[in-house]
Amino acid sequence: MRIDRVTLRIVRLPLRAPFETSFGACHAKTCILVSLDGEGVTGWGECVADVEPYFGEETLASAWYAMRDFLVPALLRAAVAAADETHRVFARVRGNRMAKAALEMAAWDWFARAAGVPLYRYLGGTRDRVPCGVSIGIQPTVADLLREVEGYLAAGYRRIKIKIKPGWDLEPLRAVRRAFGAIPLMADANSAYTGDDVRALRALDGLGLTMLEQPLAWDDLEEHRALQEVLATPLCLDESIRHAADARHALDSGAARVVNLKPGRVGGHAESLRIDVVCRARGAGLWCGGMLETGIGRGHNLALASLDGFTHPGDTSDSRRYFDEDITEPRAQMGADGTIPSREAPGIGYEPRAARIEALSLQTQVMRRC
Ligand code: OSB
Ligand code: MG
């Protein structure tokens, strides 16, 4: 692969409805899109870094800086022989995994397109349909929550995830159980609890949740291990898992039994494949998370989630879950059976709509090989 031109764009897409987590409410998806041009092929990626450093340390601004000043110049100097070697180009830069992932995943898309192969097969995926779950933000009232859950169950979603925080946990989850019975149900706290909240978390143990995601601090595996010891509900880690070694440590120490894998959080597809190996070897749970991605990042997540090591439905929902109009053609569309078909077209299989992306771009930077 010889890349001659890299384009970074900041785009902003309004969300159909605000999405509220324990960090606060989000009204629009603002992110960096990257495209790599070379040898007549274009590969696309999307950076999951948010504007604010709440979910992780990286931000849109830090990722833009890391890409513009270090990662893109390295890629423009490099010759990469295979998709799974791309991450080596960025090895000199420490951390900055969200910035690296956007470029690394664009390179995978580039290689798959150059080979004329769908990305899901290129990654080793075997599923021609990906089972989908949905993540429901914190709602103003329990009645609002029940209405949301009812709508998503009617649409076919195979698992419901509810965002929780202290004061919005036991009561809404109980209400969902009472109204809808034994549906696959889980909760995600985005680190809203501390070691002092063990009683509140133990109170959730009787609800039969499939798992409880990231209740405690992102950088405290030991505290999660101690919590798992007193909970029957399996713990799942999201923010805590930066790479395959984190997954190994979390699973082997008993800090978690399930991994939420977001390729955009761990540095890209190659590291994701290593995490798949770690989870498989231990019989651990694995599923693909999401960060409200546009069609580009969503296409990457869906391709990865087609691997048969993914044991649970992911946050790989229909594009309309978040956007009235996406930036790809087609958009990711879930059937009534709660699955999204894997795309058989080359690469991610969702074509970026150039004119719409241009119209939504707040800032663009083109960098060329010299
Ligand atoms: O913690 O999984 C999370 C969205 C933004 C940031 C973090 C998270 C989420 C979600 C939504 O839960 C997942 C999605 O539907 O894309
Ligand atoms: Mg999460």
Side-chain angles (χ1 to χ4, degrees):
M1 172 180 74
R2 185 194 145 102
I3 297 300
D4 296 308
R5 188 175 67 175
V6 177
T7 308
L8 306 178
R9 295 178 183 85
I10 300 176
V11 293
R12 184 178 183 282
L13 276 79
L15 294 179
R16 290 180 64 182
F19 184 77
E20 188 174 336
T21 66
S22 54
F23 311 132
C26 171
H27 298 265
K29 172 68 182 175
T30 307
C31 66
I32 303 171
L33 299 180
V34 310
S35 56
L36 313 181
D37 293 297
E39 303 176 35
V41 177
T42 303
W44 287 84
E46 172 174 338
C47 184
V48 299
D50 286 326
V51 173
E52 309 90 353
Y54 301 159
F55 174 83
E57 292 174 310
E58 290 183 77
T59 63
L60 187 142
S62 78
W64 183 271
Y65 164 67
M67 287 195 245
R68 185 198 57 198
D69 284 20
F70 301 100
L71 304 174
V72 173
L75 191 60
L76 286 171
R77 280 193 302 268
V80 182
D84 62 359
E85 290 174 10
T86 313
H87 65 277
R88 292 203 194 128
V89 174
F90 309 131
R92 204 141 77 99
V93 173
R94 243 176 230 186
N96 290 278
R97 293 183 177 83
M98 293 178 176
K100 289 175 180 175
L103 293 165
E104 198 258 10
M105 292 161 77
W108 276 87
D109 184 43
W110 188 97
F111 273 102
R113 286 174 194 261
V117 175
L119 178 62
Y120 90 91
R121 289 184 196 269
Y122 209 72
L123 287 166
T126 52
R127 293 187 180 138
D128 62 359
R129 323 187 67 81
V130 172
C132 301
V134 64
S135 175
I136 303 180
I138 292 165
Q139 300 294 312
T141 68
V142 169
D144 290 303
L145 175 63
L146 295 180
R147 231 178 348 262
E148 290 283 305
V149 173
E150 184 177 18
Y152 290 126
L153 289 174
Y157 282 102
R158 296 199 179 184
R159 171 282 258 151
I160 301 288
K161 162 167 139 183
I162 287 166
K163 292 289 189 180
I164 58 168
K165 64 177 182 183
W168 178 264
D169 42 27
L170 184 59
E171 188 199 346
L173 286 166
R174 235 189 220 152
V176 170
R177 266 286 176 254
R178 214 173 283 140
F180 304 104
I183 57 166
L185 179 65
M186 61 173 289
D188 183 3
N190 290 110
S191 299
Y193 298 84
T194 73
D196 297 336
D197 298 316
V198 171
R199 270 167 61 102
L201 295 168
R202 286 187 72 171
L204 308 180
D205 221 10
L207 291 163
L209 301 180
T210 327
M211 64 191 83
L212 175 60
E213 180 176 342
Q214 198 71 48
L216 306 171
W218 75 270
D219 56 352
D220 203 336
L221 286 186
E222 167 52 27
E223 207 154 43
H224 280 97
R225 188 204 58 72
L227 176 64
Q228 182 69 89
E229 223 167 59
V230 299
L231 279 189
T233 307
L235 291 183
C236 168
L237 291 176
D238 173 358
E239 286 92 320
S240 292
I241 309 297
R242 297 163 300 177
H243 41 58
D246 277 342
R248 195 155 33 79
H249 298 147
L251 296 171
D252 289 349
S253 69
R257 299 182 189 152
V258 186
V259 172
N260 169 342
L261 176 50
K262 296 172 177 171
R265 186 195 68 222
V266 301
H269 286 308
E271 194 65 19
S272 297
L273 296 177
R274 282 191 279 276
I275 292 175
D276 171 57
V277 169
V278 165
C279 290
R280 223 182 262 257
R282 288 159 178 77
L286 176 66
W287 54 276
C288 183
M291 297 284 282
L292 322 181
E293 283 88 348
T294 77
I296 294 171
R298 199 166 294 275
H300 278 284
N301 289 348
L302 285 162
L304 183 67
S306 77
L307 271 78
D308 69 3
F310 286 68
T311 55
H312 293 73
D315 285 339
T316 47
S317 32
D318 188 292
S319 155
R320 289 251 163 93
R321 156 78 184 87
Y322 292 115
F323 309 109
D324 277 325
E325 193 184 349
D326 209 326
I327 58 171
T328 59
E329 176 56 40
R331 61 187 181 82
Q333 203 172 347
M334 188 183 78
D337 66 347
T339 69
I340 296 180
S342 298
R343 297 286 303 162
E344 297 297 343
I348 57 175
Y350 295 95
E351 283 310 308
R353 294 165 55 186
R356 176 154 168 76
I357 290 172
E358 186 63 39
L360 292 171
S361 291
L362 305 177
Q363 195 173 328
T364 302
Q365 173 133 8
V366 180
M367 299 173 74
R368 289 187 170 78
R369 184 182 284 262
C370 42

